[in-house]
Amino acid sequence: MRERRLGVAVWVKNPRAAKNLRKFGTIHYISKRLNYVSMYVDADQIDDIIRTMERLHFVTKIERSHRHEIPIEYNNAKPDKAKEYDYKQEKHQLMALADTLLGENGLAPAGISTESVR
């Protein structure tokens, strides 16, 4: 079974020194412009690893990811109104409207009979 990992953003002084962080976890991305490293660390050892990384001379700041705290299942989700819309009912309403308009005028447009509209 796969171990649970948590994301960590490590701000460094120099991105070349970021390779030294490989021994603490899996490096996902190194930003050379913003000088940070996005990496994954084992959830069981995250506190010890963060304390160890903070002592390194090239690390300026460490931020934990809060993605695991966001709920992904929603119990009280409202139903989508677009999915509940009845298109057959709309067709019948349009047909009834067309019949009343044709009946009031007494004239059908050229080439269309009232039977072909249905």
Side-chain angles (χ1 to χ4, degrees), residues 22-58:
R22 281 189 248 167
K23 59 185 172 187
F24 298 108
T26 306
I27 294 179
H28 177 69
Y29 179 73
I30 298 175
S31 173
K32 294 179 181 176
R33 186 172 63 92
L34 298 175
N35 294 338
Y36 76 91
V37 178
S38 175
M39 63 185 298
Y40 290 100
V41 178
D42 293 336
D44 301 335
Q45 305 169 352
I46 192 164
D47 293 327
D48 298 331
I49 290 174
I50 287 178
R51 270 190 243 114
T52 307
M53 283 193 297
E54 284 176 340
R55 284 190 229 128
L56 298 173
H57 66 89
F58 58 89

Side-chain angles (χ1 to χ4, degrees), residues 3-118:
E3 295 179 9
R4 184 162 180 237
R5 301 183 308 161
L6 297 177
V8 177
V10 182
W11 299 89
V12 294
K13 294 178 184 176
N14 188 351
R16 276 191 258 158
K19 291 182 181 179
N20 295 329
L21 296 175
R22 281 189 248 167
K23 59 185 172 187
F24 298 108
T26 306
I27 294 179
H28 177 69
Y29 179 73
I30 298 175
S31 173
K32 294 179 181 176
R33 186 172 63 92
L34 298 175
N35 294 338
Y36 76 91
V37 178
S38 175
M39 63 185 298
Y40 290 100
V41 178
D42 293 336
D44 301 335
Q45 305 169 352
I46 192 164
D47 293 327
D48 298 331
I49 290 174
I50 287 178
R51 270 190 243 114
T52 307
M53 283 193 297
E54 284 176 340
R55 284 190 229 128
L56 298 173
H57 66 89
F58 58 89
V59 173
T60 57
K61 181 171 70 169
I62 298 177
E63 294 179 7
R64 288 185 179 203
S65 171
H66 297 286
R67 184 173 184 204
H68 65 280
E69 298 171 2
I70 299 173
I72 55 174
E73 294 179 12
Y74 303 103
N75 296 332
N76 297 330
K78 294 181 181 179
D80 190 10
K81 294 291 183 183
K83 292 180 182 176
E84 294 179 1
Y85 193 77
D86 189 11
Y87 292 100
K88 291 180 182 178
Q89 181 182 5
E90 179 186 11
K91 180 181 175 184
H92 293 299
Q93 289 174 350
L94 288 173
M95 296 304 290
L97 180 64
D99 286 342
T100 56
L101 290 175
L102 291 175
E104 289 176 0
N105 295 340
L107 299 172
I112 298 177
S113 66
T114 56
E115 296 302 317
S116 66
V117 173
R118 292 181 192 186

